[in-house]
Amino acid sequence: NNNINTEDLAMYDTLKFILLEEDLDNKVCFIEEVSCRLTDVKYYNNRVVGRIKNMQVDIRGTTLIVEGSLTKWFLGNNYERFLLLWEIRAAIRRLGSALGVPIEKAKVSRMDIAFNFRVNNLPWLYLTKLLYSDGYHRSNIKKDTLYFDRYDCQLLFYDKIQELCSSKNKEEVATVREIFEGINVLRYEFRFKKVTSIFNGVVRGEQLYNQSFCLLALDKWYHCYMDINKGYDDDFQFFRLDSKKAFELSCVAYCSARLDIYNILEEAFVRRDIDSKNKYDIKDVLRKADELMKDVSNSTSLIDELTKKIDNAYVMLKRRYNVSPARMELLNRLYNNVS
């Protein structure tokens, strides 16, 4: 599908659910009743590990742990588009049906929300402009991946296409290359590592499709980006490097912006250090340099480009997730009738 919009929120990417048999009044034995639904199953002493589609499932005695991308579970990938409120509910219910347990009752111990941005330049260029955020440790082990880390949460920025192309699935890589040919995609993920701590209480699966909770998580995602101290493009960002002539003219423009070249030129002519032809030729160079740099002066800085995209996404998503109770009830009824 070449019409995929690369600027849509996955909203919930990786989630980690923990469900105890006692949460279900011990009516289900996970090792006996869930393990038979899994693939790639490995048995250990009082422990079973397996998968159900993209979700990793770990049964440890009377504890069930399910971890993976909810969006990928529901859509088959985590870059095509974001999930609407009723789809989040549908995804969690379907996951529960596949496992034979009510995942909406499970505790959420990790939660990632993420957005893909189509950007004009290579993603790593934007990462150099995200400088620091109070209380977070900044690190970028690789040029194209940047972390802001804290004990309870983490902000992550990286080249989404490069990440997708690192897959061992050759067919998936070929599809990605076709879809994103000539496109730069930067992904911003916010990882809630200590969900209970951040939201001041246990979060259950059923809260993930609650309107107020979605908006609260979205606010955290947005404001933590806005709190980052950002660097803006320096003078050298605007030097033209696409040709020798353009570089020479951009150097002239750089000097002209800092020195009164026209006045210096006029003084040199009055002192007869240069003749009228020299003066005309130099003025012509200055004029060409000014014309060349008009496009640059009107261009948007890297960080302004990214911030505007995050602003637009935030406004759009608040509107999408601000669903009236009556409409949400209608969507839930429609889902219940088809599931």
Side-chain angles (χ1 to χ4, degrees):
N1 179 5
N2 291 320
N3 294 319
I4 282 177
N5 183 351
T6 55
E7 291 191 20
D8 271 330
L9 188 73
M11 186 61 187
Y12 295 122
D13 194 30
T14 298
L15 293 170
K16 185 175 182 180
F17 298 102
I18 300 177
L19 186 64
L20 307 179
E21 288 183 3
E22 63 187 58
D23 293 334
L24 309 178
D25 298 323
N26 298 306
K27 293 178 180 178
V28 178
C29 176
F30 296 148
I31 286 185
E32 291 181 7
E33 299 177 51
V34 176
S35 61
C36 59
R37 298 169 178 261
L38 309 179
T39 59
D40 303 325
V41 181
K42 295 180 181 178
Y43 294 92
Y44 304 94
N45 184 28
N46 203 34
R47 183 182 177 194
V48 180
V49 177
R51 306 187 69 82
I52 188 156
K53 290 172 63 174
N54 66 297
M55 308 297 279
Q56 181 72 33
V57 181
D58 189 352
I59 305 170
R60 303 181 183 184
T62 59
T63 301
L64 174 68
I65 302 170
V66 183
E67 185 169 10
S69 170
L70 187 70
T71 302
K72 191 170 183 179
W73 160 264
F74 193 72
L75 297 178
N77 63 64
N78 64 354
Y79 55 80
E80 186 172 347
R81 63 178 180 84
F82 69 94
L83 298 181
L84 299 170
L85 274 180
W86 73 271
E87 289 178 312
I88 296 169
R89 180 178 185 268
I92 291 173
R93 293 291 180 89
R94 285 185 192 175
L95 178 59
S97 294
L99 291 167
V101 295
I103 287 295
E104 62 269 22
K105 295 184 181 297
K107 173 185 174 183
V108 180
S109 67
R110 174 185 165 176
M111 183 176 82
D112 297 358
I113 59 176
F115 207 149
N116 295 328
F117 297 98
R118 184 184 300 191
V119 290
N120 296 332
N121 301 281
L122 291 173
W124 71 266
L125 291 169
Y126 299 83
L127 308 190
T128 65
K129 306 302 177 186
L130 302 172
L131 303 181
Y132 67 88
S133 187
D134 287 343
Y136 291 84
H137 172 68
R138 183 188 191 277
S139 65
N140 55 325
I141 300 170
K142 296 180 181 178
K143 182 172 71 172
D144 53 19
T145 304
L146 174 64
Y147 295 88
F148 287 93
D149 199 30
R150 204 173 72 177
Y151 79 97
D152 59 350
C153 61
Q154 184 182 70
L155 287 73
L156 172 59
F157 301 84
Y158 62 94
D159 186 328
K160 181 61 179 176
I161 296 176
Q162 190 167 92
E163 184 254 353
L164 289 171
C165 289
S166 67
S167 170
K168 294 179 182 178
N169 186 327
K170 292 183 179 180
E171 186 177 332
E172 184 180 358
V173 170
T175 301
V176 167
R177 291 190 188 281
E178 181 184 354
I179 292 171
F180 295 105
E181 184 180 3
I183 297 173
N184 299 307
V185 179
L186 187 156
R187 187 174 180 87
Y188 163 38
E189 289 186 9
F190 189 91
R191 296 178 174 175
F192 298 83
K193 297 191 292 184
K194 304 282 186 183
V195 177
T196 301
S197 171
I198 293 173
F199 291 101
N200 298 314
V202 173
V203 174
R204 300 285 176 184
E206 60 192 356
Q207 290 174 253
L208 297 179
Y209 46 85
N210 174 276
Q211 174 185 302
S212 298
F213 182 84
C214 284
L215 293 174
L216 190 61
L218 188 62
D219 279 346
K220 188 75 174 174
W221 173 84
Y222 174 73
H223 290 295
C224 283
Y225 169 80
M226 298 306 292
D227 287 343
I228 296 173
N229 192 283
K230 303 168 185 69
Y232 289 82
D233 301 327
D234 54 32
D235 298 321
F236 298 102
Q237 185 71 37
F238 297 112
F239 275 41
R240 291 288 297 271
L241 304 174
D242 45 319
S243 72
K244 178 182 175 183
K245 188 66 177 176
F247 176 68
E248 289 172 344
L249 288 174
S250 64
C251 288
V252 170
Y254 181 83
C255 292
S256 180
R258 284 149 184 78
L259 301 170
D260 190 352
I261 299 292
Y262 286 97
N263 190 48
I264 293 171
L265 191 62
E266 193 61 39
E267 288 181 6
F269 179 70
V270 169
R271 291 196 308 266
R272 298 186 179 181
D273 294 337
I274 58 173
D275 59 24
S276 57
K277 185 178 185 309
N278 294 141
K279 180 181 176 182
Y280 174 83
D281 289 343
I282 294 171
K283 276 192 171 182
D284 187 51
V285 171
L286 291 169
R287 179 185 58 78
K288 289 177 179 176
D290 287 343
E291 287 179 359
L292 180 78
M293 299 311 288
K294 277 180 182 177
D295 291 339
V296 173
S297 63
N298 291 329
S299 66
T300 304
S301 71
L302 291 170
I303 204 65
D304 284 339
E305 177 199 344
L306 179 58
T307 300
K308 184 176 180 181
K309 288 176 180 293
I310 287 180
D311 277 332
N312 291 342
Y314 178 63
V315 171
M316 180 271 290
L317 286 159
K318 284 188 74 173
R319 186 170 64 248
R320 291 289 183 91
Y321 285 116
N322 192 16
V323 181
S324 70
R327 179 168 174 74
M328 189 63 190
E329 182 60 32
L330 174 62
L331 291 170
N332 286 339
R333 284 205 305 270
L334 289 172
Y335 169 73
N336 288 334
N337 289 336
V338 299
S339 60

